[in-house]
Coordinates of all heavy atoms in Angstrom, one line a residue:
M1 N -1.3 5.9 12.4 CA -0.3 6.9 12.4 C 0.1 7.3 11.0 O 0.2 6.5 10.1 CB 0.9 6.3 13.1 CG 2.1 7.2 13.1 SD 3.5 6.4 13.9 CE 4.8 7.4 13.2
A2 N 0.2 8.6 10.8 CA 0.6 9.1 9.5 C 1.7 10.2 9.8 O 1.7 10.8 10.9 CB -0.6 9.8 8.8
T3 N 2.6 10.4 8.8 CA 3.6 11.3 9.0 C 3.9 12.0 7.6 O 3.7 11.4 6.6 CB 4.9 10.7 9.6 OG1 5.8 11.7 9.9 CG2 5.5 9.7 8.6
W4 N 4.3 13.3 7.7 CA 4.6 14.0 6.5 C 6.0 13.7 6.0 O 6.9 13.4 6.8 CB 4.5 15.5 6.7 CG 3.1 16.0 6.8 CD1 2.4 16.2 8.0 CD2 2.3 16.5 5.7 NE1 1.2 16.7 7.6 CE2 1.1 16.9 6.3 CE3 2.5 16.6 4.4 CZ2 0.1 17.4 5.5 CZ3 1.5 17.1 3.6 CH2 0.3 17.5 4.2
S5 N 6.2 13.8 4.7 CA 7.6 13.7 4.2 C 8.3 15.0 4.6 O 7.7 16.0 4.9 CB 7.6 13.6 2.7 OG 7.2 14.8 2.1
P6 N 9.6 15.0 4.8 CA 10.4 16.2 5.2 C 10.2 17.3 4.2 O 10.2 18.5 4.6 CB 11.8 15.7 5.2 CG 11.8 14.3 5.4 CD 10.5 13.8 4.7
Q7 N 9.9 17.0 3.0 CA 9.7 18.1 2.0 C 8.2 18.6 2.0 O 7.9 19.6 1.4 CB 10.0 17.6 0.6 CG 11.4 17.2 0.4 CD 11.8 15.8 0.9 OE1 10.9 15.0 1.3 NE2 13.0 15.5 1.1
G8 N 7.4 17.9 2.7 CA 6.0 18.4 2.8 C 5.1 18.1 1.6 O 4.0 18.6 1.4
D9 N 5.6 17.2 0.7 CA 4.9 16.9 -0.5 C 4.2 15.6 -0.5 O 3.6 15.2 -1.5 CB 5.8 17.0 -1.7 CG 7.0 16.0 -1.7 OD1 7.2 15.4 -0.6 OD2 7.7 15.9 -2.7
R10 N 4.4 14.8 0.5 CA 3.7 13.5 0.6 C 3.4 13.2 2.1 O 4.0 13.7 3.0 CB 4.7 12.4 0.2 CG 5.0 12.4 -1.3 CD 6.1 11.5 -1.7 NE 7.4 12.0 -1.1 CZ 8.5 11.3 -0.9 NH1 8.5 10.0 -1.1 NH2 9.5 11.9 -0.4
I11 N 2.4 12.3 2.2 CA 2.0 11.8 3.5 C 2.2 10.3 3.5 O 1.8 9.6 2.5 CB 0.5 12.1 3.9 CG1 0.3 13.6 4.0 CG2 0.1 11.5 5.2 CD1 -1.1 14.0 4.2
F12 N 2.8 9.8 4.5 CA 3.0 8.3 4.6 C 2.1 7.8 5.7 O 1.9 8.5 6.8 CB 4.5 8.0 5.0 CG 5.5 8.6 4.1 CD1 6.3 9.6 4.4 CD2 5.7 8.0 2.8 CE1 7.2 10.1 3.5 CE2 6.6 8.5 1.9 CZ 7.4 9.6 2.3
F13 N 1.5 6.7 5.5 CA 0.6 6.1 6.5 C 0.6 4.6 6.3 O 1.0 4.0 5.3 CB -0.8 6.7 6.3 CG -1.5 6.3 5.1 CD1 -2.4 5.2 5.0 CD2 -1.3 7.1 3.9 CE1 -3.0 4.9 3.8 CE2 -1.9 6.8 2.7 CZ -2.8 5.7 2.7
R14 N 0.1 3.9 7.4 CA 0.0 2.5 7.4 C -1.4 2.0 7.0 O -2.4 2.6 7.4 CB 0.3 2.1 8.9 CG 1.0 0.9 9.1 CD 1.3 0.6 10.6 NE 0.0 0.7 11.4 CZ 0.0 1.2 12.6 NH1 1.0 1.7 13.2 NH2 -1.1 1.2 13.2
Q15 N -1.4 1.0 6.2 CA -2.7 0.4 5.9 C -2.5 -1.1 6.1 O -1.9 -1.8 5.2 CB -3.1 0.7 4.4 CG -4.5 0.2 4.1 CD -5.0 0.7 2.7 OE1 -4.4 1.6 2.2 NE2 -6.0 0.1 2.2
G16 N -2.9 -1.6 7.2 CA -2.6 -3.0 7.6 C -1.1 -3.1 7.7 O -0.5 -2.4 8.5
Q17 N -0.5 -4.0 7.0 CA 0.9 -4.3 7.1 C 1.7 -3.6 5.9 O 2.8 -3.9 5.6 CB 1.2 -5.8 7.1 CG 0.7 -6.5 8.2 CD 1.2 -6.0 9.6 OE1 2.4 -5.7 9.7 NE2 0.3 -6.0 10.5
E18 N 1.0 -2.7 5.2 CA 1.6 -2.0 4.1 C 1.9 -0.5 4.4 O 1.1 0.1 5.1 CB 0.7 -2.0 2.9 CG 0.5 -3.5 2.4 CD -0.5 -3.5 1.2 OE1 -1.2 -2.5 1.0 OE2 -0.5 -4.6 0.6
L19 N 3.0 0.0 4.0 CA 3.3 1.4 4.1 C 2.9 2.1 2.8 O 3.3 1.7 1.7 CB 4.8 1.7 4.4 CG 5.1 3.1 4.7 CD1 4.5 3.6 6.0 CD2 6.6 3.4 4.7
M20 N 2.1 3.1 2.9 CA 1.5 3.8 1.7 C 2.0 5.2 1.7 O 2.4 5.8 2.7 CB 0.0 3.8 1.8 CG -0.6 2.4 2.1 SD -0.6 1.4 0.7 CE -1.8 2.1 -0.4
E21 N 2.0 5.8 0.5 CA 2.2 7.3 0.4 C 1.2 7.9 -0.5 O 0.6 7.2 -1.3 CB 3.6 7.5 -0.2 CG 3.7 7.3 -1.7 CD 5.0 7.8 -2.3 OE1 5.8 8.5 -1.6 OE2 5.3 7.5 -3.4
V22 N 0.9 9.1 -0.2 CA -0.1 9.9 -1.0 C 0.6 11.2 -1.3 O 1.0 12.0 -0.4 CB -1.4 10.2 -0.2 CG1 -2.3 11.1 -0.9 CG2 -2.1 8.9 0.1
P23 N 0.7 11.6 -2.6 CA 1.3 12.9 -2.9 C 0.3 14.0 -2.5 O -0.9 13.8 -2.6 CB 1.4 12.8 -4.4 CG 1.0 11.5 -4.9 CD 0.4 10.8 -3.7
V24 N 0.8 15.1 -2.1 CA 0.0 16.2 -1.6 C 0.4 17.5 -2.4 O 1.6 17.8 -2.5 CB 0.2 16.5 -0.1 CG1 -0.6 17.7 0.3 CG2 -0.2 15.3 0.7
R25 N -0.5 18.1 -3.0 CA -0.3 19.4 -3.7 C -0.9 20.5 -2.9 O -2.0 20.5 -2.6 CB -0.9 19.4 -5.1 CG -0.4 20.6 -5.9 CD -1.0 20.5 -7.3 NE -2.5 20.7 -7.1 CZ -3.3 20.6 -8.1 NH1 -2.9 20.4 -9.3 NH2 -4.6 20.7 -7.9
S26 N 0.0 21.5 -2.5 CA -0.5 22.6 -1.7 C -0.8 23.8 -2.7 O -0.5 23.7 -3.9 CB 0.5 23.0 -0.6 OG 1.7 23.3 -1.2
G27 N -1.2 24.8 -2.1 CA -1.5 26.0 -2.9 C -3.0 26.5 -2.7 O -3.6 26.1 -1.7
A28 N -3.5 27.2 -3.6 CA -4.8 27.8 -3.5 C -5.9 26.7 -3.5 O -6.9 26.8 -2.9 CB -5.1 28.7 -4.7
S29 N -5.6 25.6 -4.3 CA -6.5 24.4 -4.3 C -5.7 23.2 -3.9 O -5.3 22.4 -4.8 CB -7.1 24.2 -5.7 OG -7.9 25.4 -6.1
P30 N -5.5 22.9 -2.6 CA -4.8 21.7 -2.2 C -5.5 20.5 -2.7 O -6.7 20.4 -2.7 CB -4.7 21.8 -0.7 CG -5.5 23.0 -0.3 CD -6.0 23.7 -1.5
S31 N -4.7 19.5 -3.0 CA -5.3 18.2 -3.4 C -4.4 17.0 -3.0 O -3.2 17.2 -2.8 CB -5.6 18.2 -4.9 OG -4.4 18.2 -5.6
L32 N -5.0 15.8 -2.9 CA -4.3 14.6 -2.6 C -4.3 13.8 -3.9 O -5.3 13.7 -4.6 CB -5.0 13.8 -1.5 CG -5.1 14.5 -0.1 CD1 -6.0 13.7 0.8 CD2 -3.7 14.8 0.4
G33 N -3.2 13.1 -4.1 CA -3.1 12.2 -5.3 C -3.6 10.8 -4.9 O -4.2 10.6 -3.8
Q34 N -3.3 9.8 -5.7 CA -3.7 8.5 -5.5 C -2.7 7.8 -4.5 O -1.5 7.9 -4.7 CB -3.7 7.7 -6.8 CG -4.8 8.1 -7.8 CD -6.2 7.8 -7.2 OE1 -6.4 6.7 -6.6 NE2 -7.1 8.7 -7.3
P35 N -3.3 7.1 -3.5 CA -2.4 6.3 -2.6 C -1.6 5.3 -3.4 O -2.1 4.7 -4.3 CB -3.3 5.7 -1.6 CG -4.6 6.4 -1.8 CD -4.6 6.9 -3.1
R36 N -0.3 5.1 -2.9 CA 0.5 4.1 -3.6 C 1.2 3.3 -2.5 O 1.8 3.8 -1.6 CB 1.6 4.8 -4.4 CG 2.6 3.9 -5.2 CD 3.5 4.7 -6.1 NE 4.5 5.4 -5.4 CZ 5.8 5.0 -5.3 NH1 6.2 3.9 -5.9 NH2 6.6 5.8 -4.6
K37 N 1.2 2.0 -2.7 CA 1.9 1.1 -1.8 C 3.4 1.2 -2.0 O 3.9 1.1 -3.1 CB 1.5 -0.4 -2.0 CG 2.2 -1.4 -1.2 CD 1.8 -2.8 -1.6 CE 2.7 -3.8 -1.0 NZ 2.3 -5.2 -1.4
L38 N 4.2 1.4 -0.9 CA 5.6 1.5 -1.0 C 6.2 0.1 -0.7 O 7.0 -0.4 -1.5 CB 6.2 2.5 0.0 CG 5.8 3.9 -0.3 CD1 6.3 4.8 0.8 CD2 6.3 4.4 -1.6
F39 N 5.8 -0.6 0.4 CA 6.2 -1.9 0.7 C 5.4 -2.5 1.8 O 4.6 -1.7 2.5 CB 7.7 -1.9 1.1 CG 8.0 -1.1 2.3 CD1 7.9 -1.5 3.6 CD2 8.5 0.2 2.1 CE1 8.3 -0.8 4.6 CE2 8.9 1.0 3.1 CZ 8.7 0.5 4.4
A40 N 5.5 -3.8 2.0 CA 4.8 -4.5 3.1 C 5.8 -4.9 4.1 O 7.0 -5.3 3.7 CB 4.0 -5.7 2.6
W41 N 5.5 -4.9 5.4 CA 6.4 -5.3 6.4 C 5.6 -5.8 7.6 O 4.7 -5.2 8.1 CB 7.2 -4.0 6.9 CG 8.3 -4.4 7.8 CD1 8.3 -4.3 9.2 CD2 9.6 -4.8 7.5 NE1 9.5 -4.6 9.7 CE2 10.3 -5.0 8.7 CE3 10.3 -5.1 6.3 CZ2 11.7 -5.4 8.7 CZ3 11.6 -5.5 6.3 CH2 12.3 -5.7 7.5
E42 N 5.9 -7.1 7.9 CA 5.1 -7.7 9.0 C 5.1 -7.0 10.3 O 4.0 -6.9 10.9 CB 5.8 -9.1 9.2 CG 5.0 -10.0 10.2 CD 5.7 -11.3 10.4 OE1 6.1 -11.9 9.4 OE2 5.8 -11.7 11.6
A43 N 6.1 -6.3 10.6 CA 6.2 -5.6 11.9 C 5.8 -4.1 11.8 O 6.0 -3.4 12.8 CB 7.6 -5.7 12.5
L44 N 5.3 -3.7 10.7 CA 5.0 -2.3 10.5 C 4.0 -1.7 11.5 O 4.1 -0.6 11.9 CB 4.4 -2.1 9.1 CG 4.3 -0.6 8.6 CD1 5.7 0.1 8.7 CD2 3.8 -0.6 7.2
G45 N 3.2 -2.6 12.1 CA 2.2 -2.1 13.1 C 2.8 -1.5 14.3 O 2.2 -0.9 15.1
R46 N 4.1 -1.7 14.6 CA 4.8 -1.2 15.8 C 5.2 0.3 15.6 O 5.5 0.9 16.6 CB 6.0 -2.0 16.1 CG 5.7 -3.5 16.3 CD 4.9 -3.8 17.5 NE 5.7 -3.4 18.7 CZ 5.2 -3.2 19.9 NH1 4.0 -3.4 20.1 NH2 6.0 -2.8 20.9
G47 N 5.2 0.8 14.4 CA 5.6 2.2 14.2 C 6.6 2.4 13.1 O 7.4 1.5 12.8
F48 N 6.7 3.6 12.7 CA 7.7 4.0 11.6 C 8.0 5.5 11.6 O 7.2 6.2 12.2 CB 7.2 3.5 10.2 CG 6.1 4.4 9.7 CD1 6.4 5.5 8.9 CD2 4.8 4.1 10.0 CE1 5.4 6.3 8.4 CE2 3.8 4.9 9.5 CZ 4.1 6.0 8.7
D49 N 9.0 5.9 11.0 CA 9.3 7.3 10.8 C 10.1 7.4 9.5 O 10.6 6.4 9.0 CB 10.1 7.9 11.9 CG 9.9 9.4 12.0 OD1 9.3 10.0 11.1 OD2 10.4 10.0 13.0
V50 N 10.2 8.5 9.0 CA 11.0 8.7 7.7 C 12.2 9.6 8.1 O 12.2 10.4 8.9 CB 10.1 9.4 6.6 CG1 9.6 10.8 7.1 CG2 10.8 9.5 5.3
T51 N 13.3 9.3 7.4 CA 14.6 10.0 7.6 C 14.5 11.4 7.1 O 13.6 11.7 6.2 CB 15.8 9.3 7.0 OG1 15.5 9.1 5.6 CG2 16.0 7.9 7.6
P52 N 15.3 12.3 7.6 CA 15.2 13.7 7.2 C 15.4 13.9 5.7 O 14.8 14.9 5.1 CB 16.4 14.4 7.9 CG 16.6 13.6 9.1 CD 16.3 12.1 8.7
D53 N 16.1 13.0 5.0 CA 16.2 13.2 3.5 C 15.0 12.6 2.8 O 14.9 12.8 1.5 CB 17.5 12.6 3.0 CG 17.6 11.1 3.2 OD1 16.6 10.5 3.6 OD2 18.7 10.5 2.9
G54 N 14.1 11.9 3.5 CA 12.9 11.4 2.9 C 13.1 10.2 2.0 O 12.2 9.7 1.3
R55 N 14.3 9.6 2.1 CA 14.7 8.4 1.2 C 14.6 7.1 1.9 O 14.7 6.1 1.3 CB 16.0 8.7 0.6 CG 16.0 9.9 -0.3 CD 17.3 10.1 -0.9 NE 17.5 9.0 -1.9 CZ 18.7 8.8 -2.5 NH1 19.7 9.6 -2.3 NH2 18.8 7.8 -3.3
Q56 N 14.6 7.1 3.3 CA 14.6 5.8 4.0 C 13.6 5.9 5.1 O 13.2 7.0 5.6 CB 16.0 5.6 4.5 CG 17.0 5.4 3.5 CD 18.4 5.2 4.1 OE1 18.7 5.5 5.2 NE2 19.3 4.6 3.2
F57 N 13.2 4.7 5.6 CA 12.3 4.6 6.7 C 13.0 3.9 7.9 O 13.8 3.0 7.7 CB 11.0 3.9 6.3 CG 10.2 4.6 5.3 CD1 10.5 4.5 4.0 CD2 9.3 5.5 5.7 CE1 9.8 5.2 3.0 CE2 8.6 6.3 4.8 CZ 8.8 6.1 3.4
V58 N 12.6 4.3 9.1 CA 13.0 3.7 10.3 C 11.8 2.9 10.8 O 10.7 3.5 11.0 CB 13.5 4.7 11.4 CG1 13.9 4.0 12.7 CG2 14.6 5.5 10.8
L59 N 11.9 1.6 11.0 CA 10.8 0.8 11.4 C 11.1 0.2 12.8 O 12.2 -0.2 13.1 CB 10.6 -0.4 10.5 CG 10.4 0.0 9.0 CD1 10.4 -1.2 8.1 CD2 9.1 0.8 8.8
I60 N 10.1 0.1 13.6 CA 10.2 -0.5 14.9 C 9.8 -2.0 14.8 O 8.6 -2.2 14.4 CB 9.3 0.2 16.0 CG1 9.8 1.7 16.1 CG2 9.4 -0.5 17.3 CD1 8.9 2.5 17.0
E61 N 10.7 -2.9 15.1 CA 10.4 -4.3 15.0 C 10.5 -4.9 16.4 O 11.6 -4.8 17.0 CB 11.3 -4.9 14.0 CG 11.0 -6.4 13.8 CD 11.8 -7.0 12.7 OE1 12.7 -6.3 12.1 OE2 11.7 -8.2 12.5
E62 N 9.5 -5.7 16.8 CA 9.6 -6.4 18.0 C 10.4 -7.7 17.8 O 10.0 -8.5 17.0 CB 8.2 -6.8 18.5 CG 8.1 -7.2 19.9 CD 6.6 -7.3 20.3 OE1 5.8 -6.6 19.8 OE2 6.4 -8.0 21.3
T63 N 11.5 -7.9 18.5 CA 12.4 -9.0 18.3 C 11.9 -10.3 19.0 O 12.1 -11.4 18.6 CB 13.8 -8.7 18.7 OG1 13.8 -8.3 20.0 CG2 14.4 -7.6 17.8
D64 N 11.2 -10.1 20.1 CA 10.7 -11.3 20.9 C 9.3 -11.0 21.4 O 9.1 -10.5 22.5 CB 11.6 -11.6 22.1 CG 11.3 -12.8 22.8 OD1 10.3 -13.5 22.4 OD2 12.0 -13.2 23.8
P65 N 8.3 -11.3 20.5 CA 6.9 -10.9 20.9 C 6.4 -11.5 22.2 O 5.5 -11.0 22.8 CB 6.1 -11.4 19.7 CG 7.0 -11.9 18.7 CD 8.4 -12.0 19.3
G66 N 7.0 -12.6 22.6 CA 6.6 -13.3 23.9 C 7.2 -12.7 25.1 O 6.8 -13.0 26.2
A67 N 8.2 -11.9 24.9 CA 9.0 -11.4 26.1 C 8.2 -10.3 26.8 O 7.4 -9.6 26.2 CB 10.3 -10.7 25.6
A68 N 8.4 -10.3 28.2 CA 7.7 -9.3 29.0 C 8.3 -7.9 28.7 O 9.5 -7.8 28.4 CB 7.8 -9.6 30.4
G69 N 7.5 -6.9 28.7 CA 8.0 -5.5 28.5 C 8.9 -5.1 29.7 O 9.1 -5.8 30.6
P70 N 9.5 -3.9 29.5 CA 10.4 -3.4 30.6 C 9.6 -3.2 31.9 O 8.4 -2.9 31.9 CB 10.9 -2.1 30.1 CG 9.9 -1.7 29.0 CD 9.3 -3.0 28.5
Q71 N 10.3 -3.5 33.0 CA 9.6 -3.4 34.3 C 10.0 -2.0 34.9 O 11.1 -1.6 34.8 CB 10.1 -4.4 35.2 CG 9.5 -4.4 36.6 CD 9.9 -5.5 37.5 OE1 10.7 -6.4 37.0 NE2 9.6 -5.5 38.7
I72 N 9.0 -1.3 35.5 CA 9.2 0.0 36.1 C 8.8 -0.2 37.6 O 7.7 -0.7 37.9 CB 8.3 1.0 35.5 CG1 8.7 1.2 34.0 CG2 8.4 2.4 36.2 CD1 7.8 2.2 33.2
T73 N 9.7 0.2 38.4 CA 9.4 0.2 39.9 C 9.2 1.6 40.4 O 10.0 2.5 40.1 CB 10.6 -0.4 40.6 OG1 10.9 -1.7 40.1 CG2 10.3 -0.5 42.1
V74 N 8.1 1.8 41.0 CA 7.7 3.1 41.6 C 7.9 3.0 43.1 O 7.3 2.1 43.7 CB 6.3 3.5 41.2 CG1 5.9 4.9 41.8 CG2 6.1 3.6 39.7
V75 N 8.7 3.9 43.7 CA 8.9 3.9 45.1 C 8.2 5.1 45.7 O 8.6 6.2 45.3 CB 10.4 3.8 45.5 CG1 10.6 3.9 47.0 CG2 11.1 2.6 44.9
L76 N 7.3 4.9 46.6 CA 6.6 6.0 47.2 C 7.2 6.3 48.5 O 7.7 5.4 49.2 CB 5.1 5.7 47.4 CG 4.3 5.4 46.1 CD1 2.9 4.9 46.4 CD2 4.3 6.5 45.1
N77 N 7.2 7.6 48.9 CA 7.7 8.0 50.2 C 9.1 7.6 50.4 O 9.5 7.2 51.5 CB 6.8 7.5 51.4 CG 5.4 8.0 51.3 OD1 5.2 9.1 50.9 ND2 4.4 7.1 51.5
W78 N 9.9 7.6 49.4 CA 11.3 7.2 49.5 C 12.2 8.0 50.5 O 13.1 7.5 51.1 CB 12.0 7.2 48.1 CG 12.0 8.5 47.5 CD1 11.1 9.1 46.7 CD2 13.1 9.5 47.6 NE1 11.5 10.3 46.3 CE2 12.7 10.6 46.8 CE3 14.3 9.5 48.3 CZ2 13.5 11.7 46.7 CZ3 15.1 10.6 48.2 CH2 14.7 11.7 47.4
A79 N 11.8 9.3 50.7 CA 12.6 10.1 51.6 C 12.5 9.5 53.0 O 13.4 9.7 53.8 CB 12.1 11.5 51.6
E80 N 11.4 8.9 53.4 CA 11.3 8.3 54.8 C 12.4 7.2 55.0 O 12.8 7.0 56.1 CB 9.9 7.7 54.9 CG 8.8 8.7 55.0 CD 7.4 8.1 55.2 OE1 7.4 6.8 55.4 OE2 6.5 8.8 55.0
E81 N 12.8 6.6 54.0 CA 13.9 5.6 54.1 C 15.2 6.2 54.5 O 16.0 5.5 55.1 CB 14.1 4.8 52.8 CG 12.9 4.0 52.4 CD 12.7 2.8 53.3 OE1 13.7 2.2 53.7 OE2 11.6 2.4 53.5
F82 N 15.4 7.5 54.3 CA 16.6 8.2 54.6 C 16.4 9.1 55.8 O 17.2 10.0 56.0 CB 17.1 8.9 53.4 CG 17.4 8.1 52.2 CD1 16.6 7.9 51.2 CD2 18.6 7.3 52.2 CE1 16.8 7.1 50.1 CE2 18.9 6.4 51.2 CZ 18.0 6.3 50.1
G83 N 15.4 8.9 56.6 CA 15.1 9.8 57.7 C 14.5 11.1 57.4 O 14.5 12.0 58.2
G84 N 14.0 11.2 56.2 CA 13.3 12.5 55.8 C 11.9 12.6 56.4 O 11.5 11.8 57.2
R85 N 11.2 13.5 55.9 CA 9.8 13.7 56.5 C 8.9 12.7 56.0 O 8.5 12.2 55.1 CB 9.3 15.1 56.0 CG 10.2 16.2 56.6 CD 9.6 17.5 56.2 NE 10.6 18.5 56.2 CZ 10.5 19.7 55.9 NH1 9.3 20.1 55.6 NH2 11.5 20.5 56.0

């Protein structure tokens, strides 16, 4: 997963457990700068986003890796239970 900075001048991406940034220059000859490690985070694999001001990151961290995920119940033909068709 990669995401642009709100200013459009950098791309943020994950490389293993590290969050990286690459400066981007636009114009007639667009170019990418050298990737730079911002920080490492054990739970980074779950996802991230950048705040609108581009100064902070929101990280998704799994608090109980052994816990079952949310349960979804699908009810088919539910109208029949209420005398429907």
Side-chain angles (χ1 to χ4, degrees):
M1 174 182 158
T3 189
W4 284 93
S5 68
Q7 298 79 15
D9 61 346
R10 292 172 288 159
I11 297 175
F12 302 107
F13 65 95
R14 218 177 50 216
Q15 184 171 346
Q17 299 299 323
E18 297 176 344
L19 186 67
M20 309 287 288
E21 77 170 348
V22 173
V24 177
R25 188 180 65 185
S26 59
S29 298
S31 66
L32 299 174
Q34 291 294 318
R36 179 174 76 102
K37 174 184 166 182
L38 296 177
F39 58 86
W41 188 262
E42 183 178 317
L44 191 58
R46 303 292 296 164
F48 73 93
D49 203 356
V50 61
T51 58
D53 64 5
R55 299 182 64 190
Q56 297 177 341
F57 294 89
V58 177
L59 306 172
I60 299 172
E61 182 175 1
E62 193 170 338
T63 57
D64 187 359
Q71 182 177 354
I72 298 175
T73 303
V74 178
V75 179
L76 302 174
N77 301 318
W78 61 270
E80 291 178 11
E81 293 291 325
F82 299 102
R85 297 182 204 183

